[in-house]
Amino acid sequence: MPKLTQIQKVRRNSRLPFKLAGSDFFAEMLMPRLAREIHERAPGIRVQLVDLVPNSYIDSLERYEADMALIPDAEFPDWIDRRAQFRSSFTTIARKGNAAIEAAGIKSGATLPIDLFCDLGHILFSPEGRTKAMGDAALAKIGRTRKVVMTVPVFFGVCRAVSESDHVALVPRQLAERLADLFGLSLYNAPMPLPPALIVGVWHKRATGNPAHRWIRNLIAEILLPLNVGEQPLPHEAR
């Protein structure tokens, strides 16, 4: 009988928890496939998705004792290793039948006029309750502002609130496309440039060489890679 490789031993023998910190975007876009893959390939591993620490996502690794966090790229302390997962673009969502958009004759998939975009009430995803985000920074570059009428700490709540109001929201396009039919949403292009956000997985360097940790983070990267937008290659970092 051939000897098992180190990774095969990890998959066969591991009885360990893996705590992953991230927004509820990953509850929809990662966890269903991850649950299936773990069940089939390494059923002894228990994966837990936990919220990010508000105001300091990197603290999730210490405060929540998370093994890995999935967050927007940033400057990180030198005890962190990271790996690029995917680039995420953004889209504007509105309920089908939004009165102001219908009155303007804007079809789903079109670009919202800047005046209409700024006049509509915006629902903002913000676990911290902040009333400004990347959309506001993009508008500021062209000398405009929007009207934020509500903040919600989870993307599902943002989509639900939009679906039952005449407000709009900027959310990751991949999630909007997945949930559009469920919530009765139409998608529109924002009127200002919105560069894609680079989402990275980060972990403490002490875990970089751990075979089980490496196997799980490689599996997560494999599942998330198809979400990547654009043709620009992802940066190479620790794997």
Side-chain angles (χ1 to χ4, degrees):
M1 183 175 181
K3 292 182 178 180
L4 294 175
T5 67
Q6 189 175 31
I7 293 301
Q8 286 172 326
K9 289 178 181 178
V10 166
R11 289 166 54 183
R12 174 175 291 190
N13 301 323
S14 288
R15 298 292 184 269
L16 55 87
F18 188 87
K19 190 175 288 187
L20 183 65
S23 73
D24 70 315
F25 172 96
F26 297 101
E28 177 65 30
M29 305 304 294
L30 170 64
M31 298 306 282
R33 167 86 183 277
L34 185 60
R36 184 172 71 250
E37 296 290 344
I38 290 291
H39 174 72
E40 294 176 354
R41 299 162 65 176
I45 296 174
R46 181 181 70 229
V47 179
Q48 299 167 267
L49 179 65
V50 299
D51 285 336
L52 295 163
V53 172
N55 298 309
S56 181
Y57 293 163
I58 197 67
D59 285 347
S60 304
L61 297 177
E62 298 288 349
R63 196 177 307 174
Y64 292 167
E65 297 182 340
D67 297 286
M68 182 175 174
L70 295 166
I71 57 180
D73 195 24
E75 292 293 327
F76 298 120
D78 59 9
W79 55 269
I80 289 294
D81 265 344
R82 66 178 142 190
R83 178 176 180 178
Q85 306 291 313
F86 63 97
R87 288 187 177 84
S88 178
S89 59
F90 297 90
T91 189
T92 308
I93 57 172
R95 73 171 180 88
K96 292 180 179 178
N98 179 291
I101 295 175
E102 281 208 337
I106 310 299
K107 302 297 183 183
S108 179
T111 299
L112 292 174
I114 186 66
D115 289 340
L116 177 60
F117 181 85
C118 292
D119 288 343
L120 287 165
H122 285 250
I123 298 175
L124 179 63
F125 165 75
S126 177
E128 305 88 357
R130 295 174 182 169
T131 57
K132 291 187 182 297
M134 52 87 194
D136 300 280
L139 282 169
K141 289 180 179 180
I142 58 173
R144 301 297 298 261
T145 60
R146 61 177 172 171
K147 180 173 62 177
V148 174
V149 299
M150 179 182 291
T151 71
V152 179
V154 292
F155 283 115
F156 267 51
V158 170
C159 294
R160 182 63 181 269
V162 167
S163 74
E164 298 192 17
S165 70
D166 274 340
H167 301 316
V168 297
L170 280 171
V171 299
R173 178 174 290 276
Q174 300 97 323
L175 184 66
E177 291 174 346
R178 178 77 62 90
L179 299 180
D181 289 341
L182 176 64
F183 287 108
L185 302 172
S186 294
L187 278 57
Y188 302 90
N189 298 321
M192 69 288 192
L194 278 172
L198 179 62
I199 305 302
V200 299
V202 299
W203 61 90
H204 199 292
K205 281 185 175 180
R206 63 181 174 233
T208 297
N210 181 286
H213 194 285
R214 182 189 302 117
W215 185 81
I216 299 172
R217 68 178 185 253
N218 285 344
L219 176 58
I220 290 170
E222 174 188 320
I223 295 170
L224 293 177
L225 181 59
L227 300 180
N228 191 52
V229 299
E231 298 180 358
Q232 186 178 359
L234 293 174
H236 291 293
E237 290 127 344
R239 293 175 183 268

